């Protein structure tokens, strides 16, 4: 017997996903599970390494509140750009981040074609060990 969704009751929702950014049906991305796991690991590593804080108003020094419902209205939802302060959680974690960045430099250089001049300058500063503001 079919339900109001046109499927058998025991089948409803069994194969539904939260998102369609990886396509569907015959055109579904075969690497979507790798991409999803990579995004999860990246998120976890960012949360391990950094504290995220709202930026402060320059006049009042009060935190500027984020609108957590400010999203683009395209085919896929994405938050609009926002400012925040990103700070390493500890000196030890900052050292791990810098060492990992240095270790990955040769690999990352392979993907640096087409960068804007400001991005190239920022990379050179990072590679020379200069402090970069994350605001």
């Amino acid at each position: 017997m079919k339900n109001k969704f046109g499927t058998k009751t025991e089948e409803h929702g069994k194969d539904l996903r939260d998102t369609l950014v990886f396509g569907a049906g015959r055109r579904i991305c075969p690497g979507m599970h790798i991409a999803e796991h990579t995004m999860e690991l990246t998120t976890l590593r960012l949360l391990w390494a950094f504290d995220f804080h709202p930026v402060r108003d320059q006049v009042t020094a009060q935190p500027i509140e984020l609108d957590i419902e400010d999203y683009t209205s395209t085919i896929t939802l994405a938050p609009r750009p926002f400012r925040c302060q990103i700070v390493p959680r500890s000196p030890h974690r900052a050292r791990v981040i810098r060492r990992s960045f240095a270790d990955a430099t040769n690999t990352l250089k392979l993907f640096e074609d087409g960068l804007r001049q400001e991005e190239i300058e920022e990379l050179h500063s990072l590679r020379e060990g200069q402090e970069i503001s994350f605001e």
Side-chain angles (χ1 to χ4, degrees):
M1 184 162 147
K2 293 185 176 187
N3 62 23
K4 68 179 182 174
F5 301 108
T7 60
K8 295 178 184 174
T9 305
E10 65 274 5
E11 296 292 317
H12 177 66
K14 183 167 96 175
D15 59 348
L16 295 179
R17 297 188 323 274
D18 294 342
T19 178
L20 295 175
V21 296
F22 296 109
R26 290 179 28 206
R27 301 279 186 209
I28 197 165
C29 174
M32 75 177 189
H33 300 296
I34 294 170
E36 287 175 341
H37 291 300
T38 300
M39 289 186 291
E40 289 170 5
L41 284 171
T42 300
T43 301
L44 290 171
R45 287 177 176 159
L46 287 169
L47 293 173
W48 171 85
F50 299 104
D51 282 327
F52 297 83
H53 304 284
V55 293
R56 295 191 173 271
D57 184 280
Q58 292 180 347
V59 175
T60 65
Q62 295 297 313
I64 298 173
E65 192 170 323
L66 284 177
D67 180 359
I68 62 171
E69 297 190 15
D70 187 17
Y71 282 82
T72 60
S73 57
T74 59
I75 194 164
T76 57
L77 283 178
R80 294 189 195 280
F82 60 91
R83 294 188 53 180
C84 67
Q85 183 183 24
I86 304 171
V87 182
R89 295 175 68 115
S90 71
H92 167 72
R93 292 177 192 203
R95 284 190 300 275
V96 170
I97 295 162
R98 285 190 183 93
R99 187 174 58 243
S100 297
F101 179 72
D103 291 347
T105 294
N106 289 335
T107 302
L108 295 174
K109 282 183 177 180
L110 299 173
F111 302 96
E112 292 178 8
D113 289 342
L115 292 179
R116 297 186 318 250
Q117 185 60 37
E118 66 188 50
E119 294 168 328
I120 292 169
E121 291 169 6
E122 186 171 320
L123 279 172
H124 287 303
S125 296
L126 282 169
R127 289 186 177 126
E128 293 171 6
Q130 296 177 14
E131 289 295 319
I132 299 295
S133 172
F134 291 100
E135 266 190 46

